[in-house]
Amino acid sequence: MKTWKKFAHVDAKTAEEAAAILKSGRAALIAGGTDLLGTLRFEILPTHPETVVNLKADPFLDYIKEYGGALRIGALTRLEDIARSALVKERYAALGEAAHRTATPHIREMGTIGGNICQLPRCWYFRTPDNRFNCVRKGGGQCFAMSGDNRYHSIFGAVKSCLAVNPGDLAPALVALDAKIHTNRRTIEAERFWDVAFPGSTVLADDEIVMEVQVPAPPEGAKSAFLKFAVRKSIDFPVVNCAALVDKAGGTARICLNAVHGKPYRAARAEAAAADALKGNSTAEEAAEAAGAAAVAEARALPGDRNKWKIQIARTLAKRAVLACLR
Ligand SMILES: Cc1cc2nc3c(=O)[nH]c(=O)nc-3n(C[C@H](O)[C@H](O)[C@H](O)COP(=O)(O)OP(=O)(O)OC[C@H]3O[C@@H](n4cnc5c(N)ncnc54)[C@H](O)[C@@H]3O)c2cc1C
């Protein structure tokens, strides 16, 4: 039986205290621990933290409220609280549904919004215990998915030679809803939050901490939706997911796919196609169909076509997400 590598555990009373410990460079932040503890237990990374800094002792990072024209969710808010919030379900439906469709009730009771948007990729080469595949994402020389089993990997190309996808369910909802991520240092647009060299990475500095997620209130009459395709109905990551926000009266749409690329994929062509259709005389079905086709216009299966099935799923989810917003 494998034993855990040792690390110190520190309860930080405030985010400032946590950031000071993280600055040492050999520490990792823990919120719900549903992702981090698996990576430590199975030693999937080449390095191991000396200290795990527990943020949960900070009582001021767990809230859902609406003011100043935006929904504000503290970084330590549990996914289940987001999924159950009447406010979120009514006005920010895509986010509520994304939280509801994440993992299982147990994980949603532990997992937080901050941890969800900072989780590491699920690529099976990357996640193999004991760092057996020291892949390019970990600083090694190659992406094993290039020639290996890549049925769940990117349909929009590699990011720095890595084909892993961003596996988060909340990410596309936050991008579609034009959210902002507020840290202990700055405010980052959700769309830019994963804009980095490697899949599943964020733009956060080592000692930077997510404090709050802010979602602007959608325009009056606009509707949002989130859809997910997974192999199993529960306890499963997305094969593909999609969130949309459609303002029918204003003739605009924001559409984001995830689990299809190293970072959430904002489907700009689909947004333009939906907007054109909304401004013309198209039916809801025609607008949705056009958006679905445009969403995957630039998608390509990897050599061998093992992940080709994801293209059709992405197309269908984008279509259905737009349709759900127009009904
Ligand atoms: C069986 C299983 C199924 C799952 N299914 C899904 C799924 O369907 N969809 C999905 O999206 N996810 C899924 N997850 C992934 C993940 O557990 C959840 O997304 C959860 O929300 C992570 O939150 P956490 O608070 O537990 O994060 P932690 O494990 O505590 O942290 C995860 C990462 O985020 C960092 N972090 C945490 N909080 C902050 C913060 N405030 N600021 C900066 N960095 C921070 C940590 O340092 C760590 O690197 C699943 C996990 C498991 C084990």
Side-chain angles (χ1 to χ4, degrees), residues 7-322:
F7 53 78
H9 184 272
V10 177
D11 285 329
K13 302 282 176 301
T14 61
E16 291 74 40
E17 195 184 325
I21 301 168
L22 290 172
K23 211 167 184 171
S24 73
R26 293 184 161 230
L29 193 68
I30 188 167
T34 60
D35 185 40
L36 183 82
L37 290 177
T39 66
L40 299 184
R41 173 75 180 88
F42 297 108
E43 293 176 35
I44 68 161
L45 298 172
T47 55
H48 199 76
E50 286 175 0
T51 308
V52 167
V53 190
N54 176 25
L55 197 57
K56 290 189 295 297
D58 185 332
F60 301 111
L61 290 175
D62 180 4
Y63 55 84
I64 300 175
K65 50 193 174 192
E66 197 179 32
Y67 67 89
L71 174 75
R72 290 153 198 268
I73 304 180
L76 286 177
T77 307
R78 290 179 177 84
L79 299 177
E80 188 61 21
D81 289 336
I82 299 169
R84 284 190 192 172
S85 160
L87 167 64
V88 176
K89 281 198 273 195
E90 193 186 317
R91 300 199 68 187
Y92 308 87
L95 181 59
E97 182 64 11
H100 175 63
R101 291 296 313 275
T102 299
T104 63
H106 294 92
I107 291 169
R108 293 196 296 274
E109 286 290 351
M110 289 299 292
T112 64
I113 188 169
N116 186 274
I117 62 176
C118 295
Q119 63 179 294
L120 288 172
R122 304 304 301 188
C123 167
W124 39 34
Y125 297 105
F126 176 79
R127 289 265 169 179
T128 303
D130 303 318
N131 186 30
R132 290 173 85 91
F133 292 96
N134 189 34
C135 66
V136 66
R137 175 66 179 70
K138 301 177 189 174
Q142 63 170 306
C143 172
F144 295 90
M146 287 279 180
S147 56
D149 190 337
N150 50 32
R151 75 186 86 164
Y152 297 121
H153 289 74
S154 175
I155 54 172
F156 288 104
V159 179
K160 282 256 181 135
S161 307
C162 171
L163 288 171
V165 297
N166 181 308
D169 276 319
L170 267 54
L174 294 176
V175 173
L177 291 168
D178 199 13
K180 313 249 175 316
I181 315 296
H182 179 63
T183 76
N184 53 338
R185 292 190 187 176
R186 56 187 165 150
T187 300
I188 307 161
E189 284 177 37
E191 204 180 338
R192 303 267 84 86
F193 188 69
W194 296 274
D195 223 354
V196 281
F198 276 120
S201 303
T202 70
V203 294
L204 297 182
D206 288 346
D207 59 344
E208 195 168 6
I209 296 171
V210 174
M211 307 290 283
E212 183 179 87
V213 174
Q214 302 168 352
V215 190
E220 202 57 42
K223 276 188 174 178
S224 70
F226 170 88
L227 294 170
K228 171 174 177 174
F229 181 91
V231 175
R232 292 173 295 184
K233 283 217 165 73
S234 183
I235 201 163
D236 216 353
F237 287 88
V239 169
V240 180
N241 58 20
C242 182
L245 169 69
V246 180
D247 178 7
K248 197 174 168 185
T252 60
R254 287 178 68 97
I255 302 166
C256 185
L257 291 159
N258 203 20
V260 291
H261 186 49
K263 59 181 181 174
Y265 180 82
R266 182 149 174 220
R269 284 178 180 228
E271 293 177 359
D276 282 351
L278 290 172
K279 284 171 191 149
N281 288 326
S282 305
T283 62
E285 282 72 16
E286 286 165 346
E289 188 69 52
V296 294
E298 288 169 338
R300 299 284 175 270
L302 291 165
D305 282 350
R306 288 189 87 131
N307 68 344
K308 192 175 175 190
W309 61 304
K310 289 183 62 166
I311 298 178
Q312 182 59 33
I313 293 168
R315 177 181 179 147
T316 305
L317 288 191
K319 172 184 161 181
R320 290 184 185 171
V322 170

